[in-house]
Amino acid sequence: MSSPNFHVAIVGAGLGGLAAAIGIAQAGHKVTILEQAPALGEIGAGIQIPPNSSRILKRWDILDRIEFVSVRPSDFILRSYRDGLVLSKQNMVPYADERYGVPYLHIHRADYHKILVGEAERLGVSMQLGSTVTRIDFEKPSLHLKDKPEFHADIILGADGLKSVCREALLGHPDPPHLTGDLAYRIIVKAEDMKKHPDLVDLVEKPAINYWMGPDGHAVCYLLKGGGLYNIVLICPDNLPELVNTAKADVQEMRDFFEKWDPKLKTLLGLVQETSKWRLQNSEEMESWSHPSGKFALLGDACHATLPYLAQGAAQAVEDGAVLGALFTKITHKSQLSDLLLIYESLRKPRTTRVVKGSTALRDIFHMHDGARQRERDRQLTQQEPFDGFPNRWADPVFQKWLFGYDAYKEVDAAWDTYQRGTFPGTSGQFRANL
């Protein structure tokens, strides 16, 4: 008996949309991505690929291509803002490979995006650029596009990011991104310039993820592009004017915020010639990601945008795509499509909610003011063996295993077995369906 073939339309060609396209195309289905931009590309700087993502990329047989343009950080290092004192360290090389079978990587976002685009195209995914969604018919289902014919598919997936038209269509009302009170300076400096300063040489010669934690802010720094570029993200309180989400930044204003921080960090910031600041926004948790018709669902930042503090935003979108792809390998009849989307949301929503809340909670750990709570945090980091709830979340033995050990395909195997036994809650009983 041959497996059915469905046509899946994905709105948005970001990392999440591409991941879903790859997963579903590998399952043998027709996929069309509709992207409003006139050309494919990705802005931004560094992005982290943790083991829960690397595992998926390895299964898709593209991890080698990813790693070719990536850097493997040796350790997570949490430092005091005052003097750079190391408070906690979690090894990643060789630990990630030994414990989880795959590496932890840093990559430039544009390189990551380019490789995913190439793989999607190799699998036959169609890309329709310049396609702006104006309305969604959830029952047909179809997409109404600006100055283009109505587009029909068996399933529509909304992967159009934080400012999602698809999310607002599903909710039936405007739902702009929510302010978090933080902003980020995103900076790249050349490693060769850092080597001219003796106190910065160690940051270049031994790749690591360095965090400086201080009152109301933190800094995250790591190598990119085979060690040739150094990625810097500085988090501060949001002082952008209302309705302005990105702006050229005053370099001196940036340096003034970190004036009383570690001299090494100040030397690094002295190399910055220009920068911009980006308002950090997220979305409120939705009651449901899918439409009652059973023909539409959201994924990625369109439904679970998060603060970047756990470095899991893109990873969770890739997990969404992998779960969808794995489910599309299981389906045997069109009547199961609505159950497929229900199982997808049931598997993904609790996990992404925990990641979003965990990222917000990490801000409170990183940004503690001087005083008793900060001193106790630092005592735990320096004197206690990691425990459940440890302030270094990547060293927390319980949380780390839950975060990095996730296997999307095993999760789907278990869920589909439950479904076929007729014991998956909320489904419509189509597990008995066949061609």
Side-chain angles (χ1 to χ4, degrees), residues 9 62 71 94 144 151 210 282 320:
I62 58 175
V71 173
H144 292 255
F151 190 90
N210 280 281
N282 61 9
D320 289 347

Side-chain angles (χ1 to χ4, degrees), residues 120-137:
E121 291 178 337
R122 189 190 70 80
L123 291 167
V125 173
S126 174
M127 307 271 186
Q128 291 199 14
L129 305 181
S131 297
T132 301
V133 174
T134 58
R135 188 167 71 85
I136 302 174
D137 186 322

